[in-house]
Amino acid sequence: MKTFTITIIAALLAGTVAFGQTIAVSGTVADEKGQPIPYAFVRDAQHNYATYADSTGFFKLRADPSSSLQVMANDYKSATVKVDITGSANIISLKPVNPPGTPVDGIVPLKSNEQVKVAGSTFLQERQLLAVWSPVYAGGIGGGGGGGTNVTIVKQGYTVEPTRGSRYSYENWVSGFGINKKDSLIVETANLYNYDKMNGNIMYTNDGKSMAAISTQQVKTFSLYDKSGRAHVYENAPMVSNKPFTEVLLSTPKYKIYKKIETKLQRADFHTDGVIENGHRYDEYIDDERYYFVGANDNKAQSISLKKSALKKLLAGDADSFIASQGSRDVDEDYVRDLGKSLGK
């Protein structure tokens, strides 16, 4: 096993740190030769504040200044380091704190009884096979093509174009971690994840060839990190959708805002009578995205639009300061996520 180093900068948001207050922490995870370790997992040792480093080993998160950071990376030993709250940068040589294979305190690995096996082909195979439509796969691979329209076979001799869109949220597998219903972190650094928009499952693989779905029976929330390093949080939300996981854009003790996505596969339906051509020569995944506000008092979903006026009304003044600080910035999903972060400070 290998060891690594971590550079930490802790920025105080005020002159003093009150009990329970968090501070902004950023840093870089690297190996003994100073080479960055991409996508290392970093967490507050005493709380469920956690994140993944980006492709350059850089990370940032909010943490309790009295706590420590635990760092995990595939093929490296986990390590623990105190945060220097003076704001100065430190390059610290970390030694292994656990024998190989020993779990880190508060972290629960994915176990077989917490997984739901999925029959059929793999994520990678499905992307390849659906790139060129064929009636052999008209029903979907492993039942995954459900929700599409009736199949119209493309006349032989005409070129079939590549599939447009995807049933998955992320073009490639991404990093992620969960929090179980006992409020412990669920982490397996060898796994990569994706979100299946058609059935609402969070899929994972550790070899790029086979995959399984995460069970909602064990998981309260699950975070996936896109290629820009932004976290997308998913949870079971039966008031919004009957699917296992729905993305939550904003979450506070008083209310939440969810993104519900319905994805259908529109099969190629090109046909011609020799004179007039109609339809498409390609299969296409079509997304229907809608947003819902759920208040803690009644737990009922209310369909909303992502507009400043709607946010001001729904959040009863809580969002006014953030909205004013954003000026003319357009309201989109990232705007709502950033609003949620500001409300959580």
Side-chain angles (χ1 to χ4, degrees):
M1 299 294 284
K2 307 172 185 177
T3 61
F4 52 81
T5 61
I6 179 171
T7 302
I8 300 175
I9 299 176
L12 293 179
L13 300 183
T16 59
V17 180
F19 176 77
Q21 180 180 341
T22 60
I23 61 173
V25 179
S26 63
T28 302
V29 183
D31 63 20
E32 292 177 305
K33 296 180 180 180
Q35 296 299 311
I37 299 175
Y39 312 118
F41 179 74
V42 184
R43 66 163 295 207
D44 180 318
Q46 298 179 14
H47 307 278
N48 285 335
Y49 310 133
T51 190
Y52 274 89
D54 63 17
S55 60
T56 67
F58 176 79
F59 70 90
K60 57 182 178 181
L61 79 164
R62 301 193 67 80
D64 185 334
S66 65
S67 184
S68 299
L69 294 182
Q70 290 178 335
V71 187
M72 299 170 60
N74 199 29
D75 295 330
Y76 291 84
K77 289 186 178 181
S78 60
T80 302
V81 60
K82 290 290 292 183
V83 176
D84 182 350
I85 65 172
T86 64
S88 60
N90 294 282
I91 300 178
I92 305 171
S93 179
L94 301 182
K95 297 180 179 180
V97 294
N98 295 313
T102 301
V104 178
D105 291 343
I107 293 181
V108 181
L110 283 170
K111 299 178 181 178
S112 59
N113 62 358
E114 295 179 356
Q115 303 165 4
V116 178
K117 296 295 181 182
V118 177
S121 300
T122 70
F123 169 67
L124 298 179
Q125 289 173 337
E126 182 165 352
R127 288 177 61 83
Q128 295 165 357
L129 291 170
L130 289 182
V132 178
W133 184 85
S134 167
V136 174
Y137 304 106
I141 299 175
T149 60
N150 292 332
V151 176
T152 302
I153 298 178
V154 180
K155 186 176 179 180
Q156 187 174 3
Y158 288 95
T159 301
V160 180
E161 299 176 8
T163 300
R164 301 189 181 186
S166 173
R167 69 178 292 164
Y168 298 96
S169 289
Y170 309 98
E171 183 178 358
N172 298 305
W173 294 98
V174 299
S175 300
F177 70 90
I179 297 176
N180 67 16
K181 294 184 178 179
K182 296 181 180 179
D183 286 328
S184 295
L185 287 173
I186 302 175
V187 180
E188 180 53 72
T189 56
N191 287 352
L192 292 173
Y193 304 87
N194 215 312
Y195 179 71
D196 188 330
K197 296 182 292 185
M198 294 187 73
N199 59 32
N201 280 318
I202 294 176
M203 314 303 300
Y204 71 93
T205 183
N206 54 26
D207 59 10
K209 298 178 182 179
S210 60
M211 66 179 181
I214 293 172
S215 171
T216 57
Q217 295 179 358
Q218 299 292 334
V219 176
K220 184 166 66 174
T221 66
F222 212 93
S223 298
L224 303 182
Y225 286 76
D226 63 27
K227 61 182 180 181
S228 69
R230 183 178 287 275
H232 298 254
V233 182
Y234 299 84
E235 64 184 32
N236 183 246
M239 76 293 289
V240 173
S241 173
N242 60 1
K243 294 180 179 179
F245 290 97
T246 301
E247 185 173 2
V248 54
L249 302 179
L250 180 152
S251 179
T252 75
K254 294 193 294 184
Y255 39 69
K256 296 184 179 183
I257 294 178
Y258 291 94
K259 172 187 176 181
K260 179 182 179 181
I261 185 167
E262 297 289 347
T263 299
K264 293 185 178 181
L265 177 59
Q266 180 75 44
R267 293 292 187 180
D269 58 356
F270 176 81
H271 59 278
T272 179
D273 60 6
V275 178
I276 300 175
E277 297 180 353
N278 292 291
H280 300 292
R281 299 172 184 258
Y282 52 83
D283 292 345
E284 182 177 16
Y285 288 97
I286 300 174
D287 296 338
D288 178 22
E289 300 174 346
R290 304 193 181 189
Y291 305 95
Y292 293 88
F293 175 88
V294 177
N297 291 334
D298 57 12
N299 205 38
K300 293 182 179 179
Q302 174 185 345
S303 179
I304 64 170
S305 58
L306 298 188
K307 295 181 179 179
K308 293 180 182 178
S309 57
L311 294 174
K312 285 185 176 182
K313 181 178 179 181
L314 290 167
L315 275 58
D318 292 348
D320 290 356
S321 177
F322 175 85
I323 291 173
S325 70
Q326 298 303 299
S328 60
R329 178 184 173 186
D330 291 337
V331 178
D332 56 13
E333 293 175 11
D334 285 344
Y335 185 103
V336 177
R337 293 187 186 100
D338 290 341
L339 169 58
K341 290 180 181 178
S342 73
L343 295 176
K345 292 180 180 178

